[in-house]
Structures are given as structure tokens and as C-alpha cells.
Amino acid sequence: MVLTRVAKPASVRDYHYVVVGAGSAGCVLASRLSENPANRVLLIEAGGRADSLLVRMPAAFSYAMNNRRLNWGYQSAPEPGLEGRRLACPRGKGLGGSSSINGMVYVRGHGRDFDEWEQLGAAGWGFRDCLPYFQRAESWRGGADAFRGGDGPVATCAGNDMARNPLYPAFVEAGLQAGHGRTDDANGFRQEGFGAMQMTVRSGVRSSTAREYLEPARHRANLDVMVRTTVDKVLLDGRTATGVEVRRGDGRATVRATTEVVLAAGAVGSPCVLQRSGVGPRDVLDNAGVGLRHELPGVGQNLQDHLEAIVRYACLAPITLNGTLNPVGQAAVALAWLLGRRRNSLGSTNHFEAGAFLRSDPTRPWPDVQMHFLPAAVRYDGAKAFRGHGYQVHVGANKPMSRGRIAIESPDPDAQPEILFNYLGHPDDLRVWRQCIRLTRTIMNQPAFDPYRGAEMQPGAAVATDDDIDRWLRRNLESAYHPSCTCPMGGDDDRMAVLDAQCRVRGLERLRVVDASIFPSIPNGNLNAPTIMVAERAADLILGKTTMRAPREAGLYAD
Ligand SMILES: Cc1cc2nc3c(=O)[nH]c(=O)nc-3n(C[C@H](O)[C@H](O)[C@H](O)COP(=O)(O)OP(=O)(O)OC[C@H]3O[C@@H](n4cnc5c(N)ncnc54)[C@H](O)[C@@H]3O)c2cc1C
């Protein structure tokens, strides 16, 4: 792997494929496209190498996600549905992108989420088509079966703490006591129910796409990687993409792609690159002072995200992770991890080891609510929530109806775009959210927690009526950091579809987008796994290979 400096434009070679952004999707693409030595591939990343201890040690993820060097650090516009609050919108910056700073929770989504993609016009992206690519991407510690992969690049496993801390089994037991079911593998046949959560961790170390796809490809002479290099725009010759214009410090250069440019800059980055290139909605480009090259009204629209609420309790027994949340405790955790107990130490897990997928309403055709249980009372921003011991449930309504948008406000690639999620903009969303809080409380009040349950710290007993809950939600919901769907695939009759089902930008030649922006709708789960899956399948499409399908049509998921 050559880390090329962009100092002298004349020194930059031509490539067959130029991949923009080395994130969850970009590293997969660079690796798969360069497997054939005849393909010359360039991967361009705005950030640096992102391989510090904070990135590698799973338990340090809240430090990684709050580290300014590893993060674009975006903020939403004032959100009308959240009393005008601006929410943090972190995005990974560096090799691995968001897979280098995320919480490592491994969730594929429900099979029906992908069948929904196909219904929305993304032909060939139903669950039967996606399943083999989820399998190709992973090495599941439990071994391969009809649903799981056994020898793919990204390592997936359940945590070890489930057996050590009685609060995790208490959470699962409380779910059963509240009348819900159990699932043995939420990424297998049955998503719905209570059970162990899974994570992308290999032998106690974060399993990012940089580590698992890019690192093993570094010896290839046909793959170059440029770091600390920002793509300003795609170069268009008429309707054909011919390369990209890049910036590094004060230097500028152009890179030619003789076969294709593939944007993998993420749900914020990819629509912004397109808009700066003159591809997008006319009003957005006019407002930003960018000349229109190709009108595509859907670029940056259809923005979807997951919100998250934390329902937090004091714990009567001194068995939570709050006991380690002090400088001495954290140093001890880091030292144990460094000294080789990586596989089985408190540093080697993200601590989200139990969870649930539920329906907000029994009439819903598939689960739309996700819960993770954490045996600690903490905030994501790194601040300790309170003194003493506590535990909390992170609950989310995962099929929101609200839609937002991303719009550049200037041609400057370093300027933050307007990111308006329009959270709770659809009246149904608040209704589902209320139900999330009530469901969580019912579960946490079951006998399984009687030995542990102290006061409800948040929302707190005073938040009781629908109006109280609505007000609390508007003031306290935070992003779960899943922006997506801003360059969606869709059918020929959908004028807001940015891409066809081959990930090609509509109306242009030799230009594709492959990342979380291309989802037609947001799945019921976290987004790293489906983004990697999308990149795996798109690599086959780009290379003209026959795409895989699961051998059978029926019985691929439980309803
Ligand atoms: C803090 C955080 C926690 C999360 N937790 C989880 C979790 O626990 N589980 C889960 O499944 N998902 C989680 N997610 C979501 C998931 O990680 C992302 O949805 C997924 O990684 C997105 O992949 P991507 O390829 O679309 O974009 P990214 O991985 O964000 O990659 C985009 C890359 O493009 C680069 N880039 C952008 N613009 C340019 C440009 N102009 N020029 C050059 N390079 C550019 C960026 O620097 C970045 O490296 C989390 C995300 C965040 C931010």
C-alpha cells in the first residue's frame, strides 16, 4: 500500500477505479476491486490512519467517537421537533471511517427491511439477495450456518461479560417476564425477542473495515491509498465522470478514473460531493453558488436517522461498571487489555451485551424498536451521569417516518453542510416514541430487577402523562448516529431516486455511490453491517460478476 502525497499533480497516476472515502464501505470496495491485479485502484480519504489505542480497544469507544481528530464533528441544524436543539452528528474521519469510531454493535436488521428496499424500487436488493453478502463479510465466532458467515473479513461475536455480570441475564429475564419472546441469534432466523447482542470485535480488538479489508490488501501493487486528502468534486466531461479534484493542504490536484468513480464518502459526504460537483437539486446549488451540471432533485433529500432515549436506574448492588469509571479503574482496564488479556477483559467489549428487538404495537408487521442494556450509568459524551451505581436501557424507535435533508451552503469542502433531520416531524413518530418509554418501564419493573432496582433516574417518576413524556422526549432524545438514505436507490419512475439498482447515478455515466446513503429506507438495527453488506454486493455489480442469492426463497426470517 502506498500512502501517496498529493504534492505534484503531474505525479499522480491514472486509475481504473477511484474510490472516495475509506469508511465502512470504501475499505470493502478498495479491497474487492483490487483483488484482480489488472485493476488499478485509488482510495482517497480525508482523514488519517486512525489506528491508535483509542480506536483498537473496544471499551474505549466513547473516547474514539468524541476525538476531534477522528471525527468530522458535524452538528444538526436547530431541530424544530426537539425544541430547536442542535444534535451532535459525529462521522468517522480516517481509515475505516465510522467503523473506526462506532460502538461496534453488530446488527443486520430484519429481513423485511431489505424486502422493503426492493419494494421501494431497488430491484435485486431483497433479503434473499443481501443474505449471502452479509455472510461473505463476516467470521461469526459461532461458525457458519444458513444465516451466518464463517470465514469473512469482519469478526463478529457475542460478548464475554454476559456470563460475568448478573444484570445482563436479569434484563433478558425481565423481557420474558413482561411477556416477550427470546431470540438465540438476532442476526439469524429470528430478530424479535430478548437475547445477547453481538459486536464487531476480533480477539478483543475492534474489527473495523480498515483493519479487516484494507490492511490485508496493503501489499498489493495495484492499490494506492491517499490519506489527509479531501475530494472537492467529481470531474464531469458532459455526462461522464472522468475523475476527481482533490485538495491536500493548499495543494490541489486532479486524478483520472478511466473506468469509474465510486463515491463512498458516507451519508453526509457523498451527497455533498455530488452537490459540489453540480449534481443535485437546483435550489440547493443556486443557494450555494454552484453551477448546475445535472439536476437530480433527490440528492441529499430523504435523510433518515435513529434517535435514542436512555432510561436509567440507580442500582442497589455495587456490581455495575460505574465502579471502574474513575481514572484508576480505567487505567487498570486499559492495562489488563494491553497486557494480553484481550480476549476476555473488560477492555475487550463494548459492554452492550444484552438487547431486544420488539414491536411498538402488535399490529406492526415486523419489529421496529431496539433496546440495548448497559450495566452502567453513563453518557455517550464521556461525562459520568451521576455518582454511585446505575444501569440503563438505550431504546430506539427504528422505523421513523420523518425525513430530513442535507444541503451544502457553499462550494468549500471544509464547510459544514446544513443537516436538518426534521426529527419527530411526522406525528406517528412521537406516538411510537411514547410507547418505547412505556415498554421500557414495564420491562425494567419486572421481578428480575427487584434485587437491583433503585430510583428511576431518567426520565424519572414525575414524567408520567403523555404530555410529560412528549416534553421529556423533545428535550432529551439524542441521535444514535445513523444518518442514511440521502442518495437512495430507486426505480425508473421515482424522480427522487438518485441511483438505479446498480448504484449508478441516474443520468450520468461511470459514476456510482456505495455507502449508507444509498439505502432506500433505514433498517431496524445499526448501520455498519448493512453498509458493509451493500459494499460487498456493489463490488460484484461493479466488476460485472454474477451476484449471489440465498438458495431458498422461503424461511429466511421469522415474521
Ligand atoms: C459515533 C458512532 C457510533 C456508531 N455506532 C454504531 C454501532 O455501534 N454499530 C453500527 O452498526 N453502526 C454504528 N454507527 C453507524 C455506522 O458506523 C455507520 O453508519 C457506517 O459506518 C457508515 O459507513 P459509510 O461507509 O457510509 O460511511 P463512513 O464509514 O462514515 O465513511 C465515509 C468516509 O469518507 C470520508 N470522506 C467523507 N467526505 C470525504 C471527502 N470529500 N473526501 C475524502 N474522504 C471523505 C470520511 O472521512 C470517512 O472516512 C455509528 C456511527 C458513529 C459515527
Side-chain angles (χ1 to χ4, degrees):
M1 182 166 73
V2 182
L3 295 176
T4 315
R5 294 181 62 90
V6 189
K8 295 179 192 154
S11 70
V12 177
R13 291 196 286 165
D14 287 357
Y15 295 87
H16 293 112
Y17 297 101
V18 171
V19 179
V20 177
S24 295
C27 291
V28 178
L29 291 164
S31 165
R32 294 295 183 199
L33 297 180
S34 64
E35 277 173 354
N36 179 348
N39 292 333
R40 284 199 314 278
V41 179
L42 173 65
L43 177 63
I44 307 177
E45 168 54 43
R49 287 167 167 273
D51 58 359
S52 70
L53 178 75
L54 295 184
V55 170
R56 282 182 289 124
M57 186 169 89
F61 76 86
S62 72
Y63 294 101
M65 69 172 65
N66 290 300
N67 184 306
R68 200 59 187 85
R69 276 190 317 119
L70 301 171
N71 186 347
W72 290 81
Y74 295 125
Q75 292 244 305
S76 77
E79 291 289 339
L82 301 182
E83 299 192 352
R85 285 189 297 133
R86 288 178 186 272
L87 266 53
C89 177
R91 298 282 80 206
K93 188 176 193 179
L95 297 183
S98 298
S99 79
S100 290
I101 66 164
N102 71 12
M104 291 155 284
V105 173
Y106 181 77
V107 180
R108 294 174 173 182
H110 192 280
R112 281 206 184 209
D113 291 317
F114 305 97
D115 287 350
E116 182 181 72
W117 287 8
E118 191 150 46
Q119 283 152 20
L120 290 169
W125 289 91
F127 188 58
R128 189 178 175 196
D129 307 286
C130 296
L131 178 57
Y133 292 95
F134 278 119
Q135 292 174 288
R136 183 165 97 178
E138 73 163 344
S139 286
W140 166 235
R141 200 194 276 170
D145 62 22
F147 300 97
R148 307 305 301 255
D151 57 3
V154 172
T156 52
C157 61
N160 293 312
D161 262 17
M162 188 86 167
R164 276 194 297 234
N165 191 321
L167 289 171
Y168 292 114
F171 179 69
V172 175
E173 186 57 30
L176 304 185
Q177 288 171 346
H180 302 283
R182 173 195 283 280
T183 174
D184 292 332
D185 180 1
N187 293 306
F189 175 65
R190 182 181 303 282
Q191 185 191 47
E192 189 164 12
F194 280 72
M197 294 294 287
Q198 298 166 16
M199 61 188 91
T200 45
V201 172
R202 180 188 296 283
S203 303
V205 181
R206 175 191 291 271
S207 193
S208 71
T209 56
R211 181 169 180 237
E212 308 295 11
Y213 282 91
L214 199 55
E215 272 294 308
R218 65 184 306 160
H219 63 277
R220 295 179 189 157
N222 61 328
L223 172 63
D224 284 351
V225 182
M226 288 179 181
V227 290
R228 301 192 194 293
T229 305
T230 302
V231 170
D232 189 348
K233 58 179 87 148
V234 178
L235 299 170
L236 292 171
D237 180 4
R239 302 249 162 225
T240 304
T242 56
V244 294
E245 186 173 315
V246 300
R247 281 193 189 181
R248 185 181 161 121
D250 293 334
R252 276 178 172 275
T254 59
V255 182
R256 270 168 46 86
T258 55
T259 306
E260 285 196 24
V261 174
V262 187
L263 299 184
V268 177
S270 287
C272 289
V273 174
L274 284 176
Q275 292 174 4
R276 286 198 298 272
S277 313
V279 179
R282 185 182 290 271
D283 62 328
V284 169
L285 303 192
D286 284 352
N287 184 47
V290 172
L292 183 74
R293 300 293 303 268
H294 176 58
E295 188 169 5
L296 258 187
V299 175
Q301 310 296 309
N302 194 44
L303 172 62
Q304 299 175 40
D305 191 19
H306 290 146
L307 285 163
E308 185 169 276
I310 295 179
V311 179
R312 181 179 295 138
Y313 295 83
C315 183
L316 301 177
I319 55 172
T320 74
L321 296 171
N322 286 79
T324 65
L325 294 179
N326 54 65
V328 175
Q330 298 208 319
V333 169
L335 197 62
W337 183 83
L338 278 170
L339 290 177
R341 289 172 52 212
R342 289 185 176 178
R343 261 178 190 280
N344 198 13
S345 75
L346 283 180
S348 63
T349 164
N350 60 9
H351 298 291
F352 289 116
E353 298 203 10
F357 296 89
L358 307 173
R359 295 173 209 231
S360 60
D361 180 306
T363 63
R364 282 237 13 134
W366 73 97
D368 59 334
V369 175
Q370 181 175 357
M371 293 180 183
H372 310 66
F373 176 79
L374 189 66
V378 287
R379 289 167 47 126
Y380 257 176
D381 62 10
K384 211 166 117 176
F386 69 102
R387 287 180 183 281
H389 285 268
Y391 52 80
Q392 62 196 35
V393 178
H394 296 231
V395 57
N398 273 0
K399 298 297 281 184
M401 302 291 288
S402 311
R403 302 288 181 263
R405 72 162 201 172
I406 290 178
I408 55 165
E409 297 186 307
S410 99
D412 177 359
D414 294 326
Q416 131 117 43
E418 183 198 50
I419 305 174
L420 177 68
F421 288 97
N422 197 24
Y423 293 120
L424 305 185
H426 191 288
D428 285 0
D429 289 351
L430 197 56
R431 190 180 47 73
V432 176
W433 263 107
R434 242 180 258 143
Q435 185 58 11
C436 284
I437 300 298
R438 295 200 190 286
L439 261 175
T440 310
R441 282 174 160 167
T442 303
I443 291 157
M444 300 311 282
N445 282 324
Q446 296 299 318
F449 275 103
D450 285 353
Y452 312 115
R453 192 185 315 103
E456 182 186 300
M457 312 296 293
Q458 177 175 306
V463 179
T465 65
D466 281 359
D467 284 352
D468 294 339
I469 293 174
D470 291 356
R471 199 173 318 110
W472 184 85
L473 286 166
R474 291 186 194 282
R475 291 180 182 170
N476 289 280
L477 286 171
E478 292 294 340
S479 172
Y481 311 144
H482 294 165
S484 49
C485 312
T486 47
C487 299
M489 296 183 284
D492 293 343
D493 53 348
D494 179 357
R495 66 180 285 277
M496 297 306 279
V498 174
L499 310 178
D500 66 13
Q502 308 276 308
C503 314
R504 295 179 294 219
V505 177
R506 289 190 169 274
L508 298 178
E509 302 289 323
R510 291 174 24 192
L511 180 60
R512 299 197 209 221
V513 185
V514 178
D515 54 29
S517 73
I518 79 170
F519 299 178
S521 62
I522 195 165
N524 181 33
N526 306 62
L527 300 198
N528 192 39
T531 305
I532 294 170
M533 176 278 291
V534 155
E536 283 278 11
R537 186 165 189 277
D540 277 2
L541 293 173
I542 293 169
L543 293 170
K545 294 187 175 173
T546 305
T547 49
M548 299 188 283
R549 300 196 87 193
R552 61 205 163 104
E553 193 156 8
L556 292 179
Y557 50 78
D559 270 332

